[in-house]
Amino acid sequence: MTMLRRPFFWVIALAIAAFALLPLHGNDVELRESLALAAIYITLASNLNLMLGYAGYVNFGSIVFFGLGGYICIWLVDAHQAPLAVSLLAAGIGVSALALIFGFGILRLRGPFFALSTIGIVEGVQAFVQNFTPWGGAAGIYISPQVFQPLGGPARALWVIYFLLVAVMGLSLYLSYGIKISKFGLGLLAIGQNEDAAAVLGVPTPRYKALLYSASAFLPAVAGGLYFFKSAFIQPSDAFDLSLSTEAIVICMLGGQGTVSGVALGAFLYDELRSYLLTSEYFSNFQLVIAGALLLIIVLFFPSGLMGFLYSRFPRLQRVLE
């Protein structure tokens, strides 16, 4: 109930409503696809922000959650004819459970050692999936268009999947906000400031970090299931594309790590920039180069991101935007 009394709760609700309603005006399919990709970026960046912005752990392996969620969902739909809802729930729970188990081990590492280990996890999981025959190995998994029939056929299914992606995006924002204003969130922020001091003050740091790592896996796994179900195809190189993790970090830094609205704004702006670069005659091959340069500029000149800049110019914004 505390969240309901805060203005930012309703700001998130308005953003969700805008995503849901805008493509319906004129049945704008192009806008729908653009906003669907933005919703995925917001989901990935918001959940990465739980580790990066709150606890101070740079996770280059967040794409593992997205990819494994996609594989579990597609495999259940294809091999076992499971309903989409069941497959998505299984993907989220399964990936979260794995994250919790591995979190107790990997989160003993700190700083650059943790960051490098997460890159190793991406490579290790991708190598495993490429050689895992039930998941199609390196060739991946194709699903028949018939799986869309329970959703009303392919055309209607695309709208259903879009609204589900918007719902997942909204849940990601509320999860990030809810954690931030909770006692759990205060413990995480203490860990991000000084982990040893937090432990001395009584914060159960190993448990908090493992729970956060697990929580940050659930919704990206569901989003991965929706994304690859929509594509009707999944393969290791797409599911575990390390550049997507890098882009999520750029988004967090761009919007302002540790903020909810900043990460969402950064994701939306980055998606627009990415769309322009990919369709540009001159810059289409330099997308990641520009992303890296953007990250360098932010770190050097705007370390608090867009929201930090806005807060410094308009302090009253902090009463409305978190």
Side-chain angles (χ1 to χ4, degrees), residues 20 23-24 27-29 32 154-164:
L24 292 176
N27 197 32
D28 194 334
V29 174
R32 181 194 71 197
R156 189 166 179 269
L158 291 176
W159 282 104
V160 173
I161 293 168
Y162 172 71
F163 291 127
L164 289 173

Side-chain angles (χ1 to χ4, degrees), residues 62-135:
S62 60
I63 191 60
V64 166
F65 308 144
F66 185 75
L68 281 177
Y71 260 104
I72 292 172
C73 177
I74 295 299
W75 176 66
L76 289 174
V77 168
D78 178 65
H80 300 281
Q81 290 75 51
L84 177 61
V86 173
S87 301
L88 291 173
L89 186 60
I93 293 174
V95 174
S96 291
L98 286 172
L100 182 63
I101 293 169
F102 283 99
F104 279 108
I106 190 175
L107 287 165
R108 294 178 182 274
L109 302 173
R110 299 187 190 179
F113 301 103
F114 173 79
L116 290 173
S117 68
T118 60
I119 296 175
I121 288 176
V122 175
E123 297 299 327
V125 171
Q126 183 172 350
F128 168 78
V129 172
Q130 284 176 335
N131 294 280
F132 191 54
T133 305
W135 285 0

Side-chain angles (χ1 to χ4, degrees), residues 109-279:
L109 302 173
R110 299 187 190 179
F113 301 103
F114 173 79
L116 290 173
S117 68
T118 60
I119 296 175
I121 288 176
V122 175
E123 297 299 327
V125 171
Q126 183 172 350
F128 168 78
V129 172
Q130 284 176 335
N131 294 280
F132 191 54
T133 305
W135 285 0
I141 305 174
Y142 290 84
I143 56 177
S144 168
Q146 296 300 319
V147 300
F148 297 118
Q149 292 306 317
L151 299 178
R156 189 166 179 269
L158 291 176
W159 282 104
V160 173
I161 293 168
Y162 172 71
F163 291 127
L164 289 173
L165 282 172
V166 172
V168 171
M169 177 198 76
L171 289 173
S172 295
L173 293 174
Y174 279 124
L175 174 67
S176 182
Y177 182 43
I179 288 177
K180 183 176 182 179
I181 63 175
S182 68
K183 179 182 177 182
F184 179 52
L186 290 176
L188 296 172
L189 293 174
I191 291 172
Q193 292 295 318
N194 189 320
E195 187 169 342
D196 293 325
V200 170
L201 292 173
V203 178
T205 56
R207 179 157 56 90
Y208 270 33
K209 290 187 297 181
L211 288 173
L212 184 68
Y213 194 60
S214 178
S216 70
F218 184 86
L219 290 170
V222 174
L226 287 168
Y227 176 79
F228 290 108
F229 180 81
K230 175 176 175 287
S231 304
F233 168 67
I234 187 171
Q235 64 179 8
S237 59
D238 293 332
F240 305 105
D241 185 358
L242 192 59
S243 65
L244 195 56
S245 286
T246 306
E247 288 176 321
I249 293 174
V250 172
I251 288 168
C252 289
M253 299 296 291
L254 172 62
Q257 58 178 320
T259 67
V260 182
S261 54
V263 170
L265 178 62
F268 185 80
L269 294 177
Y270 183 82
D271 177 57
E272 292 298 313
L273 174 63
R274 180 179 178 275
S275 298
Y276 168 75
L277 293 175
L278 289 175
T279 56

